[in-house]
Amino acid sequence: SRHATASPVAYDGVAKLVGLLENVWHEFVPRDEVCRVEAAFELCPWPTLEGLSEDPAQRRIFSGANLSSGCYHNAHTDADFEYTAMFTFDPWGKNSPDSNEIVRWFAFPRLGLCVALRAGDIMLFNPSEYHCASSLSVDRQIFSFVAYVKTAVVAGNDNSRGLQEEEEAINEDRMRAGDC
């Protein structure tokens, strides 16, 4: 990637954070959905981030990431494949690890649900459910790092291509929602 060459330290930091989020994703996403993503990756691998130094392992889920600070997001859905991961953090460490200070809110308006986020929280959510994020609840800079894989990337960005037999089987398994 040109990013890895242009800014290797920053790229490696992002790759490590994506690796952490993938570990959390594997731990808490329902097993049948983990199996579907793994099967899709085996069938049609998509580009993911690789660490450069101490952590050379290639990631197998997230192909994209977004870093934002000091902004809010109107209610929307995303065309992401399965669950998206979000990490909220204070880069200057003004929050102690056991702080209960709410730094922003994340809402699912159709469900009537609002989640209080604290620095250090990781949230996994279904991006096809309407969601939005508030502006900051504190007077300092807080960041949100979101990792995802777009559904179009999983299909190789080629919507004209029909499903292969194995892809049809994955799709049918998804409908049955059985464990793998």
Side-chain angles (χ1 to χ4, degrees):
S1 152
R2 67 179 172 80
H3 303 293
T5 311
S7 184
V9 173
Y11 178 88
D12 216 29
V14 167
K16 287 176 184 175
L17 182 52
V18 167
L20 168 76
L21 292 175
E22 285 198 9
N23 290 341
V24 170
W25 191 93
H26 275 283
E27 184 74 25
F28 293 100
V29 167
R31 185 74 192 135
D32 61 317
E33 298 197 30
V34 170
C35 292
R36 276 193 294 279
V37 172
E38 289 175 348
F41 187 84
E42 290 298 320
L43 261 168
C44 183
W46 51 84
T48 59
L49 297 168
E50 286 182 35
L52 297 176
S53 59
E54 303 160 16
D55 183 17
Q58 181 173 354
R59 309 299 172 218
R60 295 178 56 90
I61 299 170
F62 301 126
S63 64
N66 178 341
L67 179 67
S68 63
S69 175
C71 59
Y72 65 90
H73 303 280
N74 291 327
H76 67 284
T77 60
D78 293 299
D80 297 347
F81 188 60
E82 298 294 344
Y83 287 82
T84 294
M86 182 175 72
F87 174 52
T88 302
F89 65 100
D90 179 348
W92 293 277
K94 304 230 186 223
N95 275 70
S96 71
D98 1 321
S99 173
N100 281 329
E101 180 182 33
I102 296 167
V103 297
R104 87 182 304 175
W105 296 88
F106 197 88
F108 299 93
R110 194 184 67 79
L111 301 175
L113 178 67
C114 195
V115 179
L117 295 174
R118 293 158 179 81
D121 283 354
I122 294 175
M123 183 169 73
L124 302 171
F125 64 95
N126 178 349
S128 63
E129 180 60 52
Y130 274 94
H131 56 279
C132 55
S134 73
S135 53
L136 300 177
S137 304
V138 294
D139 241 358
R140 64 180 182 282
Q141 199 167 23
I142 300 293
F143 287 86
S144 290
F145 182 88
V146 180
Y148 51 83
V149 61
K150 293 291 178 197
T151 301
V153 171
V154 173
N157 281 323
D158 183 1
N159 291 335
S160 67
R161 180 178 73 79
L163 293 179
Q164 298 174 16
E165 248 180 75
E166 297 94 338
E167 292 167 326
E168 286 284 0
I170 291 170
N171 202 31
E172 288 172 21
D173 286 348
R174 183 177 189 166
M175 296 304 159
R176 282 194 292 274
D179 204 350
C180 51

